[in-house]
Amino acid sequence: MSSFILVGAYILRKLADIIAHIYSYFFDASSFPPQVPSLLAGYDNGLLCALNPCAFLSRCRQQCGPIYRVSLGSMRLVIVSSGDAISSVFLASSQLLCLDPLHREVLYIVAGVKTNYAYLHEVMIRDLYPLIDRCLSPRSLGQTTQTFGPMLLSGIKNLTRDHSKSISLMQLTNEPLYTATNLVMFGSTFPTDTYKDFQTLNKSVPYRIGRTLLHYWPSYAARMRLLRSFMDYLQRGEVNDCDDKSACARSMHIFKDNNFQSLEGAQFVLIFLWTIHSNTMVNSFFSLSFLLGDPIGFARVRTEIDSAVQNFGSLEALLQAGPDGLDDPSFKLLTSAIMETMRLTVLQTAMRQANCDFDLKLKDGKMISIKKGEHVLGDVHAVHMDGTVFSDPETFVVDRFAQQPYRRKHLQTDGYPFHALGGGRHACKGRWLAVYGIKVVLIILLHLFDFNPAEENSAGWCLPRVHPRSVAVIHTEDDIFVRLSPRQAEKGL
């Protein structure tokens, strides 16, 4: 069965190349932005994009340049793939370019919301986003995550008690992070056994976006189990271990104020979780994967971590220091490794729709005429793979951002066209929590353990294959299995 699938995928890729070659004869470069040609009213382009979005955008960019129009069936898009143009999109007001259609799609794909979308979206904008702004800002993050480091350490220790067995690197870098984040955001009564179902649902997202039935039933069953678990949490309504100003108490107030104790509330919680975790878990996994594939970089980051642990006196003391303690020049290389991972894994920005006709002004003075109803998409991957900006762009370079002057409350990417965390009016609201969480995962794992390939990876460290239907951020169905052994200095742990 798998051989037929591989042959089919190969044939489709070759067909896409042939179609792209044919279309090159119909290309008209006289208009700006130029239009990607289509023989079937955009539905041919829609199919090619659904099969492999990143490859499709790359072919269009080679043919049309960094800014172009393309029709995917009935959907009309303007694609921008230069740093200045993406920055202009981020700076545009929501009155001009709105995210409502994207939110509707996410609510449906992830949480199964088919009715009452408008009310859930209103609560998301009115209550959820301000909560995230308050609780996950650099000023408040330390208070929100007071117990995060110790909980994450405990989760990793529980997962790694048996050193005789190999362990999934995806589970190792994701499950403790997922659980600890949920507990600081929702309190100790939040269910702690939902990771596997969440991962099953999250892995199905590329298929669900393309409306493919593959993986549909397992992910549907996982979603229903998640929703039942969250409904039980909401109906109990208990956050006894949180003060009134904590994130978990405030989130429970939102649920109660909007009478979210039924299916709607559970769907809202699921969207909240997916917003927090989907990109962070990918980057946590790939950060360690890239480091394992770069032995010299791995050793340098580990040396930096060990030195910091020694300065703090112990790993536990370092974890108690919280985000402010880790926002320090002594972690320049570690932070650079995380930023470099995000540069390599993020593919596109969120898609926005024009509410009216307007001209999008670029920094060079050019104007892009945007029509009402058109969607605007930023091809971040193209910018991050630009060899004129990033030397050797396809390679993981651990210290790429470590040469920048260190500034607290900044992410060491100033001066680069770095769009992995949004920007302008649309900067990722959870970016500080994401970077802090991945830092803590890597600090614990690199300080406590040595890594060796399991039998499944006997050929050595190989990066997982990128899912061809990856959208927004790299997805993979592969995993890396490792054998852990406590480092000599940590044998007693």
Side-chain angles (χ1 to χ4, degrees):
M1 181 66 178
S2 61
S3 61
F4 285 110
I5 295 175
L6 291 174
V7 170
Y10 176 79
I11 293 173
L12 288 172
R13 284 198 300 270
K14 290 299 181 183
L15 180 62
D17 291 338
I18 293 171
I19 293 174
H21 181 70
I22 294 173
Y23 284 1
S24 66
Y25 292 102
F26 297 91
F27 174 61
D28 178 14
S30 61
S31 60
F32 180 79
Q35 175 78 38
V36 175
S38 169
L39 298 179
L40 298 174
Y43 288 96
D44 44 355
N45 286 330
L47 175 61
L48 295 175
C49 185
L51 292 172
N52 193 325
C54 202
F56 174 76
L57 294 178
S58 177
R59 284 194 294 269
C60 292
R61 186 172 63 256
Q62 291 173 9
Q63 185 181 46
C64 302
I67 301 172
Y68 53 91
R69 276 189 166 88
V70 61
S71 294
L72 306 179
S74 59
M75 181 181 290
R76 295 173 294 127
L77 284 87
V78 176
I79 310 294
V80 296
S81 53
S82 69
D84 288 348
I86 291 177
S87 295
S88 296
V89 171
F90 283 144
L91 290 171
S93 72
S94 57
Q95 283 72 39
L96 296 177
L97 290 174
C98 71
L99 288 164
D100 291 8
L102 175 71
H103 291 156
R104 183 187 294 273
E105 182 78 351
V106 169
L107 282 166
Y108 172 70
I109 287 173
V110 176
V113 176
K114 297 179 181 179
T115 60
N116 210 18
Y117 157 78
Y119 179 60
L120 288 175
H121 183 256
E122 178 188 345
V123 175
M124 182 187 300
I125 301 300
R126 185 190 66 217
D127 297 332
L128 177 59
Y129 285 175
L131 170 68
I132 295 175
D133 269 341
R134 288 194 300 269
C135 295
L136 302 185
S137 68
R139 179 177 297 180
S140 302
L141 187 60
Q143 181 180 355
T144 301
T145 59
Q146 284 180 355
T147 59
F148 178 82
M151 283 195 297
L152 189 51
L153 176 61
S154 175
I156 289 176
K157 286 184 176 181
N158 288 335
L159 202 59
T160 57
R161 291 188 185 280
D162 188 352
H163 302 301
S164 64
K165 297 180 179 179
S166 62
I167 186 170
S168 154
L169 194 70
M170 190 170 290
Q171 182 182 12
L172 181 62
T173 55
N174 284 348
E175 184 173 1
L177 176 61
Y178 171 86
T179 303
T181 303
N182 291 350
L183 291 176
V184 299
M185 293 303 298
F186 297 107
S188 62
T189 60
F190 193 79
T192 57
D193 58 351
T194 60
Y195 166 75
K196 289 184 179 179
D197 282 333
F198 182 86
Q199 272 287 47
T200 299
L201 176 61
N202 191 41
K203 285 183 177 181
S204 75
V205 168
Y207 298 103
R208 288 177 172 274
I209 290 174
R211 300 299 192 266
T212 306
L213 293 180
L214 192 64
H215 293 304
Y216 176 80
W217 289 112
S219 64
Y220 174 80
R223 181 167 68 193
M224 294 309 296
R225 287 191 296 269
L226 288 167
L227 293 175
R228 285 195 294 270
S229 183
F230 299 156
M231 279 192 286
D232 181 60
Y233 162 75
L234 293 173
Q235 288 165 3
R236 291 196 311 271
E238 300 170 353
V239 284
N240 300 330
D241 56 342
C242 303
D243 62 63
D244 289 340
K245 294 183 179 180
S246 65
C248 52
R250 288 176 172 178
S251 61
M252 184 57 74
H253 285 318
I254 291 176
F255 303 140
K256 289 182 177 180
D257 290 346
N258 292 282
N259 197 27
F260 278 173
Q261 296 180 343
S262 60
L263 177 61
E264 285 181 343
Q267 290 172 322
F268 191 83
V269 172
L270 181 52
I271 284 295
F272 195 172
L273 289 187
W274 189 82
T275 302
I276 294 173
H277 293 301
S278 56
N279 288 1
T280 303
M281 289 166 63
V282 166
N283 282 291
S284 180
F285 169 68
F286 273 101
S287 289
L288 187 49
S289 300
F290 283 132
L291 285 171
L292 290 172
D294 177 12
I296 296 176
F298 182 96
R300 291 176 62 194
V301 173
R302 169 178 274 178
T303 298
E304 182 180 79
I305 290 170
D306 288 346
S307 176
V309 171
Q310 185 176 13
N311 291 337
F312 275 92
S314 68
L315 178 61
E316 289 75 11
L318 186 154
L319 298 178
Q320 290 286 356
D324 288 338
L326 271 60
D327 185 9
D328 188 85
S330 58
F331 295 103
K332 282 182 67 173
L333 197 60
L334 174 61
T335 305
S336 173
I338 296 170
M339 296 296 100
E340 175 71 344
T341 300
M342 291 183 176
R343 182 187 71 83
L344 292 168
T345 58
V346 173
L347 301 177
Q348 300 101 22
T349 65
M351 189 156 52
R352 295 162 171 82
Q353 187 173 31
N355 283 329
C356 59
D357 292 353
F358 75 99
D359 291 329
L360 183 67
K361 186 176 181 179
L362 306 182
K363 289 185 178 180
D364 61 4
K366 276 189 177 181
M367 296 285 190
I368 305 176
S369 178
I370 308 293
K371 305 298 182 183
K372 181 179 180 179
E374 283 188 322
H375 294 77
V376 180
L377 179 71
D379 186 355
V380 173
H381 182 69
V383 179
H384 289 178
M385 292 294 112
D386 186 347
T388 65
V389 179
F390 297 100
S391 60
D392 200 8
E394 296 185 5
T395 302
F396 174 80
V397 180
V398 68
D399 60 354
R400 188 183 297 276
F401 299 105
Q403 311 307 319
Q404 296 285 91
Y406 195 92
R407 299 168 61 195
R408 291 177 62 84
K409 312 304 181 188
H410 287 73
L411 294 176
Q412 295 182 229
T413 57
D414 292 350
Y416 288 94
F418 184 89
H419 302 294
L421 294 167
R425 301 169 185 264
H426 304 284
C428 172
K429 297 180 185 300
R431 62 194 183 279
W432 302 107
L433 175 64
V435 174
Y436 171 61
I438 298 171
K439 269 186 181 180
V440 176
V441 169
L442 295 178
I443 286 170
I444 294 172
L445 292 176
L446 268 65
H447 183 67
L448 293 185
F449 300 108
D450 286 320
F451 294 78
N452 293 292
E455 289 78 4
E456 296 89 336
N457 306 107
S458 56
W461 302 118
C462 296
L463 286 175
R465 293 169 299 177
V466 176
H467 193 298
R469 294 190 178 182
S470 296
V471 176
V473 68
I474 282 176
H475 288 261
T476 180
E477 290 189 341
D478 294 343
D479 201 348
I480 297 174
F481 287 85
V482 298
R483 287 191 178 276
L484 303 177
S485 55
R487 296 176 67 198
Q488 191 63 37
E490 305 294 338
K491 291 287 187 180
L493 291 174

